[in-house]
Each structure stands twice: as C-alpha cells, then as structure tokens.
Amino acid sequence: MEAANRTTVTEFIILGLTDNVTLCAIFFVIFLGVYVVTIVGNISIIILIRSSPQLHTPMYLFLSHLAFVDIGYSTSVTPIMLMSFLKERTAIPITGCIVQLASDVAFGTTECFLLATMAYDRYVAICSPLLYSTQMSPVVCFLLLGASYLGGCMNASSFTGCLMNLSFCGPNKINHFFCDLFPLLKLSCGHVYIAEISPAISSASVLISTLFTIIVSYSYILHSILKMRSTEGRKKAFSTCTSHLTAVTLFYGTVLFVYVMPKSSYSADQVKVASVIYTVVVPMLNPLIYSLRNKEVKEAMRKLVARIHWFF
C-alpha cells in the first residue's frame, strides 16, 4: 500500500543558498557581478594568449584551456543559482539535473587534470630546462590536454550513470544551489550504497592521482630551487610557481573539504559555502591570480592595449 502511494518525481526543487528575501537580493547582485567578471576575465585571458606570440608556450596553452574550463565550470552552476535568488520556487527537471551534474563534474575533473598538467610543466621547465622543448613538444601537450578532457568526461559518466540508475519517489527538494550527487542520493527511495561506489572510486582516483602529481612535481621543483646559487634565479623560479600554487590551494582545499571530510563533521550550510568557493569564486579569481602576478602576461596585455589604441 505504501509503495502504491508513492509518486514518481519528475522535477527537483533547488532550495538555493538562502530563503531570506533581503539576502537573495544582495546575493543576486554579488554573484551576477562575480559571474560577469568570470566570463570577461577568462575570455580576456584566452584572447590575450591567442593574440600574443610571446605567450605561445605550453604553460600559457594550458592556462588558456584552464580559462575555457573555468567558463564552463561557472556556467554549469551560476545561472541556476542566480535564478534561485529571483524565484520563490526554482524547479529543474530530472534530465536538466543530469545535464547539470554531468557538466559540473566534467569541467571540475578536467580542471583537476589541467592543474596537475601545469604542475608537471613547471617541473620540466625548472628541473630539466634543456629538455623542455622535447618533453613538452606540441604532440605531448596535445596528448596531455586530450587526456585531461577525456578524464573529465569519464568521471562525469560515472556520476550520471549512478544518477540515472536511481529512483526518486519521495521528497524532491535539493538542499543545495545546484544538482550535486550527494544531496540527490539523500532523496533516492532505493538502495544508494551500490550507487555511491562507482563515483566515489572514480573521484578518489582523480583526486589522488592529480594531487600526487602536483605534490611530487613541486617537491622536485623545491629541491631544484634550493640548489640554485643565484638569488635572482630563485626569485624567478618561485615567481613562475606562486600563481599556480595559489590556484591549486584554493581549488583543492575546498574540494577536499566537501568530498573527503567525514559528512558528520560539517553542516549543509558549510558545504554550500565551500561549494560556492570552488565552483563560482575560484573561476573568477584564476584570471586575476595568473595575470596580476605574472610579468609576461602583464607585458603582453600592455602591448595588446597599445595595439588596440593605435588601431583606433
């Protein structure tokens, strides 16, 4: 009788960050501004790198793809979040939820692989400068980029496959600002233990492998820098790594908090705040981090502005 009374869920209600009307208005203005800065900043980075011959190196090739991924990552989440601030009831169909989860995981995983690739690039540049042109040849760069996007798609498929095998017949309110897997698992009326295994193994593999690559790369980098006799050489080597390390710390710090820490150690609101940081704030900060602390990018920007000014 209980099973007969169950109603199949066809859409989910996104509860968002808050239900306070005043806070919704404030958050809408703030996050709309963040989203605009994210899009403009990352598109500017891509255009700058494409139009500046001095930036046609593997490091900036990876940075341009990171900017593209950040646009996709933010776009997969922010528009729905902005809608939740304007509407009293933000509904999303199950198919829309699957698409959002897939794009969010795909772009997020690709970002992990790109950050690891950029760490390896810095390792080769600093520890084996004479072999840099061969070890980071165009073919190698293409393979690394292809592997990054393929890894993102494969991890996303494990999440969406899990979600498509779940049945929803009870509450349909997601206590989050986007369709994340763990809030959805709580709404499933079936057995979720098996459904959790595949994405958990896939995500753990991604996080462990990329973090291991980053840590090992920077261990060798630090060892090489400490062996340098020139103070100027040390400063230059450190300056090429600080931007990347800042981006890695911000991104991985919040991702690990959400997906690795025991669920009982934090509240749903804390998860939302951490999720806002790695899905919305970090994509906005990356262009600023890589441009403000990078002399080559600032010089290329100065030349591009001068060319545009001369043209007009």
Side-chain angles (χ1 to χ4, degrees), residues 130-259:
L130 297 178
L131 300 175
Y132 185 77
S133 59
T134 55
Q135 291 191 10
M136 297 303 294
S137 64
V139 174
V140 173
C141 292
F142 176 78
L143 291 174
L144 289 172
L145 287 171
S148 297
Y149 286 107
L150 180 62
C153 293
M154 290 178 64
N155 195 34
S157 67
S158 72
F159 275 71
T160 53
C162 161
L163 182 58
M164 292 173 72
N165 287 324
L166 294 175
S167 57
F168 301 94
C169 48
N172 66 338
K173 293 182 179 179
I174 302 175
N175 188 18
H176 215 318
F177 60 89
F178 70 100
C179 291
D180 200 8
L181 181 64
F182 295 118
L184 287 167
L185 289 176
K186 293 179 181 179
L187 301 179
S188 174
C189 54
H191 298 288
V192 300
Y193 177 74
I194 296 176
E196 287 180 306
I197 294 177
S198 174
I201 293 175
S202 178
S203 298
S205 301
V206 170
L207 288 173
I208 291 171
S209 61
T210 54
L211 263 179
F212 178 78
T213 302
I214 292 169
I215 291 170
V216 170
S217 296
Y218 275 103
S219 297
Y220 279 105
I221 289 171
L222 181 61
H223 182 258
S224 296
I225 290 175
L226 293 176
K227 286 168 59 179
M228 292 179 181
R229 296 180 179 179
S230 168
T231 304
E232 187 64 28
R234 287 184 182 182
K235 287 182 179 180
K236 186 176 180 180
F238 270 123
S239 67
T240 61
C241 299
T242 51
S243 298
H244 182 253
L245 276 173
T246 304
V248 166
T249 302
L250 283 171
F251 183 76
Y252 276 93
T254 49
V255 168
L256 292 174
F257 175 83
V258 172
Y259 293 102

Side-chain angles (χ1 to χ4, degrees), residues 265-287:
S265 62
Y266 50 79
S267 66
D269 288 337
Q270 288 174 315
V271 172
K272 290 180 185 180
V273 172
S275 299
V276 164
I277 293 173
Y278 73 80
T279 59
V280 180
V281 178
V282 169
M284 177 198 71
L285 292 178
N286 277 344

Side-chain angles (χ1 to χ4, degrees), residues 289-305:
I289 292 170
Y290 284 103
S291 60
L292 296 178
R293 297 182 62 87
N294 191 305
K295 291 181 179 179
E296 291 179 327
V297 171
K298 288 192 285 188
E299 180 63 20
M301 194 176 298
R302 187 190 63 80
K303 290 181 178 179
L304 180 62
V305 170

